[in-house]
Amino acid sequence: MNEFKTARNWLDNADAVIISAGNGLSITEGYNIFAHDEAFMTHFGTFYERYGIMNILQGAFYNYPTVAERDAFYKVLFDYMVDHYESTPVFRDLKQLVGGHEYFVVTSNGNMHFQLSGFDEERIFEVEGNFGNNQNPMPMIQKQQAKFNAFVQKYRSQNVVILELGIGANNQLIKALLM
């Protein structure tokens, strides 16, 4: 219990917060891009039947026979993860936890759940892009990285708390960036 009080004290006294998030955060919400589960079969069962695709991640990188088939997969993905998304208690609690602090989000999640949950899109760095710009993500990623770098420079000599949420040990896209 003492660790929670310490963490709360750090957050209360922070000048800024960096939220770093990986797929574990999405899994906590119930969106598992690695799973061959009921949700996958409900939304992507056709792609399993046609191509043997076992999960969302495999489907995103699958070499479809036509552009139309790839686009059909992304249409279902966008519909499931973005168009019908409703902010979850996970994000509502996180937003409340950050409160009025200056913050920046660094995430490898492309599902746009931070934006859809009310986090300022100008304060989000999606290191791999997002589902909305999957055709040409580089200009957006570079713009977001520049904003993140400016944020880090602004707060580099101040009290900054980094919340690491659902980032696997091998996620060097985020871990190396924050070191």
Side-chain angles (χ1 to χ4, degrees), residues 6 11 39 41 56 64 68 74 76 91 101 112 117 138-139 148-149 155 169:
T6 300
L11 190 56
M41 290 304 293
I56 293 171
Y64 293 95
Y74 276 100
V76 173
F91 274 93
H101 286 92
M112 302 170 63
S117 296
M138 288 313 296
F148 174 69
N149 292 343
Y155 291 101

Side-chain angles (χ1 to χ4, degrees), residues 13-133:
N13 292 301
D15 296 308
V17 177
I18 295 174
I19 302 165
S20 59
N23 285 311
L25 181 63
S26 294
I27 292 168
T28 301
E29 282 193 287
Y31 293 88
N32 189 340
I33 65 170
F34 305 106
H36 182 83
D37 58 9
E38 184 178 336
F40 175 80
M41 290 304 293
T42 298
H43 298 280
F44 301 95
T46 301
F47 298 95
Y48 170 71
E49 291 168 9
R50 283 187 197 154
Y51 307 111
I53 293 170
M54 299 294 289
N55 59 50
I56 293 171
L57 188 62
Q58 185 182 19
F61 290 104
Y62 189 80
N63 186 18
Y64 293 95
T66 67
V67 171
E69 281 294 297
R70 186 202 69 215
D71 290 349
F73 176 85
Y74 276 100
K75 183 179 183 317
V76 173
L77 177 64
F78 204 84
D79 184 66
Y80 171 56
M81 300 278 284
V82 179
D83 286 343
H84 289 101
Y85 175 77
E86 293 183 20
S87 186
T88 63
V90 171
F91 274 93
R92 289 193 297 272
D93 291 347
L94 180 58
K95 192 145 177 48
Q96 183 178 11
L97 184 66
V98 172
H101 286 92
E102 290 294 317
Y103 69 87
F104 214 98
V105 174
V106 180
T107 183
S108 55
N109 297 346
N111 55 27
M112 302 170 63
H113 290 184
F114 279 98
Q115 295 93 318
L116 295 168
S117 296
F119 286 82
D120 183 354
E121 68 181 46
E122 296 297 316
R123 297 178 186 203
I124 300 172
F125 176 18
E126 296 156 312
V127 298
E128 297 179 285
N130 67 43
F131 298 155
N133 68 4

Side-chain angles (χ1 to χ4, degrees), residues 156-168:
R156 71 181 289 156
S157 299
Q158 298 183 43
N159 294 323
V160 177
V161 169
I162 298 175
L163 299 176
E164 185 175 299
L165 307 171
I167 299 174

Side-chain angles (χ1 to χ4, degrees), residues 1-11:
M1 187 62 142
N2 192 30
E3 290 135 359
F4 289 114
K5 287 181 183 178
T6 300
R8 184 75 230 190
N9 186 46
W10 288 346
L11 190 56

